[in-house]
Amino acid sequence: MAADILAILVTTVASEATFSAGTRVIDSYHASLHPDTVQVLLCAGDWCRKLHGISKKVKLEQLKEDVRTEIRATASNPAQQLQLIDAIQRLGVEYHFQEEINHALRKMHEKHQNWENIDHIYTAALYFRILRQEGFRVSSGLVNDVPGILALYEATHLRLHGDDILDHALAFSSNHLQSISNKLNSPLDELWKEVDFERKLPFARDRIVEGYFWIVGVYFEPEYGLARKILSKVIAMETVIADVYDAYGTYKELEIFTEAIERWDVGCIKQLPDYKKICYQTLLDVFVEIEQVMAKKRRSYRSYYAKEAI
């Protein structure tokens, strides 16, 4: 193989002496190759090709066909195909297989319109770079590798003093996980977003996720999904009420608020300050929802005990 690529010296005469007709190694005037020298080089090339029993052109075409076959064979494995295309491009021989590469990338782009569907950072990075490089329109959104980003986030909490790269990794993973969570359509988030607690009650803590994990520790079986949802909302409301009592409300306001909760009457809402009206109305709405769900299951009596617990 080396003989097909590398030039073989068929003479021990220095190249400077061959190209220079003067007594000095480098001269202002250089002569052309002597016809005898050219003939010797051509004969040496023929001898090498005959020695290997195959012409260089035929061997090259066979190798090119092997690569084309490999590109087609990896069509069912996008990650492997991308790595192969990347290797071909880095070797600088892409121009031999431009048609095959374009066809493979076109098929890949049709199947994976959004690279966020690729759950592997290395593969997604290859997909984005190669397709963008070849002129395909690819979204610039980050890879949706939630397990990988979450694992990175957890690993960063074991960083030591001087692990600057892990500080950057923590910021990166935190921001990305936050962006993912904002896109999730969770029924638990609906309570917080519909009421707009973040704007109307800025002093209240958003502990929806934390409350949900508390309940998961108790009702972890799949059949208790409804119980987890209901209790998570109840805990969220209890957290808001606790913040009203501990951090925001005045003594007089809290007396009125306590009486309204004990009476459990929507008519009491007129006596409350504006921010407490929001909290009180939401509390009533949550328990109305619980009553409706329990009524469908013929267990309406349970809502009574839930109110007594509040």
Side-chain angles (χ1 to χ4, degrees):
M1 186 65 176
D4 294 334
I5 301 172
L6 304 176
I8 299 178
L9 292 177
V10 295
T11 176
T12 58
V13 179
S15 59
E16 292 86 354
T18 303
F19 285 89
S20 179
T23 58
R24 292 175 294 180
V25 175
I26 301 297
D27 202 344
S28 300
Y29 304 98
H30 296 275
S32 301
L33 282 172
H34 193 278
D36 292 341
T37 304
V38 176
Q39 186 64 35
V40 170
L41 292 174
L42 293 174
C43 289
D46 291 339
W47 174 76
C48 289
R49 285 189 287 271
K50 290 180 181 179
L51 178 64
H52 290 279
I54 188 170
S55 70
K56 183 186 296 184
K57 186 175 181 180
V58 173
K59 180 66 174 177
L60 177 61
E61 291 301 324
Q62 287 183 354
L63 292 174
K64 287 164 64 175
E65 188 57 35
D66 290 343
V67 174
R68 293 189 184 98
T69 302
E70 189 67 20
I71 293 175
R72 291 190 292 268
T74 55
S76 59
N77 190 335
Q80 187 178 353
Q81 191 175 57
L82 283 168
Q83 292 177 37
L84 176 61
I85 293 173
D86 181 50
I88 292 172
Q89 291 178 340
R90 292 181 184 276
L91 288 171
V93 295
E94 178 188 7
Y95 62 93
H96 287 298
F97 315 101
Q98 195 63 58
E99 183 178 346
E100 291 78 9
I101 289 176
N102 287 340
H103 177 75
L105 295 179
R106 193 178 303 109
K107 290 294 184 182
M108 193 180 301
H109 186 253
E110 291 174 357
K111 186 176 181 180
H112 302 280
Q113 286 288 337
N114 193 338
W115 67 304
E116 294 180 357
N117 297 327
I118 303 175
D119 295 329
H120 194 284
I121 293 178
Y122 173 65
T123 303
L126 276 182
Y127 177 84
F128 175 76
R129 178 180 62 80
I130 292 176
L131 270 76
R132 269 283 185 95
Q133 180 178 292
E134 297 299 324
F136 291 90
R137 294 182 63 85
V138 183
S139 170
S140 59
L142 187 62
V143 60
N144 192 26
D145 184 6
V146 178
I149 298 296
L150 182 59
L152 175 63
Y153 172 78
E154 293 173 344
T156 58
H157 287 79
L158 299 178
R159 65 191 185 282
L160 302 175
H161 180 70
D163 288 339
D164 296 337
I165 188 66
L166 291 182
D167 291 334
H168 294 299
L170 175 60
F172 164 78
S173 56
S174 299
N175 292 336
H176 183 55
L177 291 173
Q178 182 64 42
S179 67
I180 293 175
S181 65
N182 291 338
K183 298 176 183 177
L184 297 178
N185 186 20
S186 171
L188 299 179
D189 290 336
E190 292 176 1
L191 171 65
W192 208 263
K193 292 178 180 178
E194 288 177 1
V195 180
D196 198 8
F197 276 144
E198 185 176 357
R199 185 178 63 86
K200 296 178 180 178
L201 303 178
F203 60 86
R205 294 165 293 169
D206 180 359
R207 303 182 71 177
I208 289 286
V209 176
E210 184 177 350
Y212 180 77
F213 276 105
W214 289 349
I215 301 305
V216 167
V218 179
Y219 296 113
F220 56 87
E221 294 89 349
E223 60 268 27
Y224 294 128
L226 178 60
R228 288 193 292 269
K229 178 180 177 181
I230 290 175
L231 289 176
S232 295
K233 290 187 176 183
V234 172
I235 289 176
M237 287 307 307
E238 288 181 346
T239 302
V240 173
I241 293 173
D243 290 338
V244 168
Y245 275 89
D246 298 339
Y248 200 81
T250 65
Y251 183 79
K252 183 63 177 177
E253 291 174 346
L254 295 177
E255 282 188 326
I256 300 174
F257 190 54
T258 302
E259 182 181 354
I261 292 178
E262 290 176 348
R263 293 176 61 182
W264 207 269
D265 183 3
V266 69
C268 298
I269 200 170
K270 299 178 181 179
Q271 306 172 16
L272 299 174
D274 289 340
Y275 76 94
K276 278 192 172 66
K277 289 179 180 179
I278 298 170
C279 181
Y280 189 66
Q281 185 62 59
T282 305
L283 177 64
L284 296 179
D285 291 343
V286 167
F287 277 86
V288 167
E289 179 184 350
I290 294 174
E291 289 176 352
Q292 292 174 348
V293 173
M294 291 296 101
K296 292 179 181 179
K297 295 181 175 294
R298 297 181 180 180
R299 297 173 183 175
S300 300
Y301 66 93
R302 294 188 179 184
S303 61
Y304 169 79
Y305 293 106
K307 294 177 183 178
E308 290 296 316
I310 291 292

